[in-house]
Amino acid sequence: MRSQRAGKMFAPLWLAALFIACAATCAGRVAAADAPDTRLEAYRQHLAMVLQRSPSPRDWALGSQLLETRLVRGASLRERGLILQKAAKAAPRDRLVQTLWANIPLHEQHCRTTRRCTDHAAALARLDPGNGAAWAAVIDHAWKQGDVRGAEAALRRMAGADRYNEHLGEAVAAWRDVLRRYPPPLPQVLPRHGADTSADILDALDLAFDEAVQTIVPPIPSLFDACRRAKYPNVGARRFQTCGKIARLMMGRSQTLIGRGFGVAILRASHVGTQADIPMVRAVTWQLEQYRPIAATLGSNAVAKQNHLNLIESTDSEMQVIQYELKGGGIALTPPDGWKQTLNGKQIEPLYDLASQVP
C-alpha cells in the first residue's frame, strides 16, 4: 500500500494542468486534500531538528521547510521564519537558501518595517536578477501588501528577464543528499510492500522529489491574480501586455513543466494572446497531456525513476528530461494539426480564458 506522500512525486506536473483548468488556487486545494501520514510527519519533524544542528546554512534552510505547517496540525511558523533569517544571512550566495527566504509567506516574516519585508522578498532577485522566476516572490509580497505600483514594477522586471529557471535539479540534488545522510526508516515511515526493496527506493525518491518541488516552485497566485484582465477591466492595457511577455517567457523558457503550464494560464488570463502564440500554447498543453502515461510508468519503476532524477540533477532542467523522454517514447513535441487540449471531456481553444469562469 503506497504511503499518502509517496504517490505524489509527479503530482506537481499535473498541478499545472489543474491550474490551467481552475486558476490560481488549485495547488493549495490539492495539497490540503491530502490527509497527513503521522509517521511520515514525525520523521520530517525529527529530520528538521537534526538539520538545525548541522554546520551548514543550507541544511538549516531545508530543515525549516520540514516545519512547514499543515492545516490540520498547526505550529512551527515562528521557528521557520527565524531559521530562514539566520540561514539567509549566513549564506547570501546560496540560491536554494535565498529561494526559501524570498518565498516564505508574508505572515511568517519577522520584520520591524515593511521595507525589511520587501528586502527579503527580493533576496533571490538580487542574487539572480536576470532570472524571471526570481521576481515572482517580489510580485507576491507587493501584491499582498496592496502595493500595486511595486507589483507592477516587479512585473516589468520579470518581463525583461532573459531566462526562467527554477533550478529543480539543484533542489533534487540537495534533498537526495539530505536523505542519503539521514535516511528515513522506510518500512516504518513509508510502508508499502513490506520487504520489497524497490518499493522502498520508490518511496525515498518520491520524498526527495516532493520536497525539492516545494523548495523551488515560485509563489504564482499573486502574479496570476494581477494578470487577470476579467477581474480588473479598468486597469490600463500596459499591465496586461507586460503579463503577456511574462507568459511567453514562462512558456518558452521555464525549466519545469508546471512553469510552462503556468505560462499558458497567465497568457489566457491576460487576454493578450495572438495567433502567433497559438503554436506555443498547443505545444505546452500537448506535452502536458502526452507526458501522463510516462509519468505513470515512472511511478512504478524504481530504475526508471532514479534515472529520471539523475538526468534532472545533471541538466538542472526538468523540461530537457521530459522532452527527451517524450521523444524516446516516440511522441512528437508538437501536436498534429487540428489537435486541441481536452479538459473534463471538452476541447479547449488555445487562447480561451478558463479563469474568467472563476470569481
Side-chain angles (χ1 to χ4, degrees):
M1 184 73 178
R2 294 195 70 166
S3 69
Q4 289 285 345
R5 201 172 184 84
K8 293 170 58 181
M9 175 173 177
F10 293 97
L13 302 174
W14 309 117
L15 288 182
L18 289 169
F19 189 99
I20 294 169
C22 65
T25 59
C26 290
R29 289 207 297 268
V30 171
D34 284 336
D37 184 307
T38 55
R39 292 164 300 187
L40 177 57
E41 291 304 306
Y43 164 72
R44 295 175 82 248
Q45 293 289 318
H46 172 72
L47 181 57
M49 296 299 102
V50 170
L51 291 174
Q52 299 321 305
R53 297 194 289 270
S54 166
S56 164
R58 175 176 284 190
D59 278 353
W60 308 339
L62 296 177
S64 77
Q65 177 174 303
L66 299 171
L67 293 171
E68 185 176 3
T69 298
R70 297 292 185 264
L71 295 178
V72 296
R73 303 254 342 237
S76 298
L77 295 181
R78 177 170 175 79
E79 290 90 336
R80 185 170 183 240
L82 293 175
I83 291 165
L84 279 172
Q85 188 174 50
K86 179 180 74 169
K89 184 175 181 180
R93 305 299 299 176
D94 187 310
R95 181 169 26 232
L96 293 184
V97 172
Q98 297 303 317
T99 296
L100 285 163
W101 179 226
N103 290 350
I104 188 172
L106 185 63
H107 67 275
E108 295 185 35
Q109 295 185 11
H110 301 278
C111 316
R112 294 180 180 176
T113 67
T114 300
R115 173 61 184 273
R116 284 187 63 194
C117 280
T118 302
D119 282 349
H120 50 91
L124 188 59
R126 286 194 297 270
L127 185 63
D128 194 8
N131 185 356
W135 290 94
V138 183
I139 295 165
D140 183 61
H141 288 254
W143 193 253
K144 287 177 177 175
Q145 291 175 20
D147 179 7
V148 176
R149 280 191 173 185
E152 290 187 334
L155 284 168
R156 291 191 292 273
R157 292 297 301 268
M158 190 174 190
D162 58 12
R163 60 192 184 282
Y164 193 100
N165 192 345
E166 302 91 328
H167 294 289
L168 179 59
E170 186 173 357
V172 165
W175 279 106
R176 290 176 81 181
D177 175 62
V178 166
L179 295 180
R180 276 192 290 265
R181 287 183 285 135
Y182 307 105
L186 288 171
Q188 292 77 39
V189 174
L190 298 173
R192 185 156 32 162
H193 302 300
D196 186 342
T197 304
S198 66
D200 289 346
I201 293 170
L202 281 164
D203 280 336
L205 293 171
D206 285 343
L207 182 59
F209 188 87
D210 189 18
E211 297 298 347
V213 169
Q214 290 187 54
T215 297
I216 58 87
V217 171
I220 294 295
S222 294
L223 166 62
F224 183 83
D225 190 54
C227 290
R228 287 179 64 184
R229 196 163 198 165
K231 187 174 179 179
Y232 303 104
N234 297 322
V235 171
R238 182 184 179 190
R239 180 199 292 179
F240 302 107
Q241 293 295 334
T242 301
C243 291
K245 292 179 181 178
I246 291 170
R248 295 177 188 108
L249 174 70
M250 294 173 75
M251 288 191 299
R253 303 296 296 277
S254 173
Q255 298 304 305
T256 65
L257 189 54
I258 190 172
R260 297 198 178 199
F262 288 155
V264 170
I266 291 166
L267 182 73
R268 288 171 167 173
S270 67
H271 295 188
V272 296
T274 69
Q275 290 294 312
D277 294 309
I278 289 177
M280 181 64 74
V281 171
R282 293 179 75 241
V284 171
T285 51
W286 163 262
Q287 289 172 24
L288 276 164
E289 287 198 13
Q290 299 306 307
Y291 196 64
R292 185 176 291 112
I294 295 176
T297 299
L298 293 174
S300 59
N301 185 323
V303 173
K305 188 181 292 186
Q306 193 150 356
N307 289 339
H308 178 83
L309 293 193
N310 289 344
L311 285 170
I312 291 176
E313 279 192 37
S314 64
T315 62
D316 200 23
S317 171
E318 182 189 45
M319 279 311 306
Q320 285 188 41
V321 177
I322 285 173
Q323 290 176 351
Y324 168 79
E325 290 169 346
L326 285 169
K327 288 189 285 188
I331 300 170
L333 299 183
T334 55
D337 292 343
W339 178 88
K340 291 181 181 178
Q341 179 189 9
T342 302
L343 289 172
N344 299 322
K346 296 180 180 179
Q347 287 191 330
I348 305 298
E349 294 297 327
L351 299 180
Y352 179 68
D353 177 16
L354 292 164
S356 65
Q357 309 302 314
V358 180

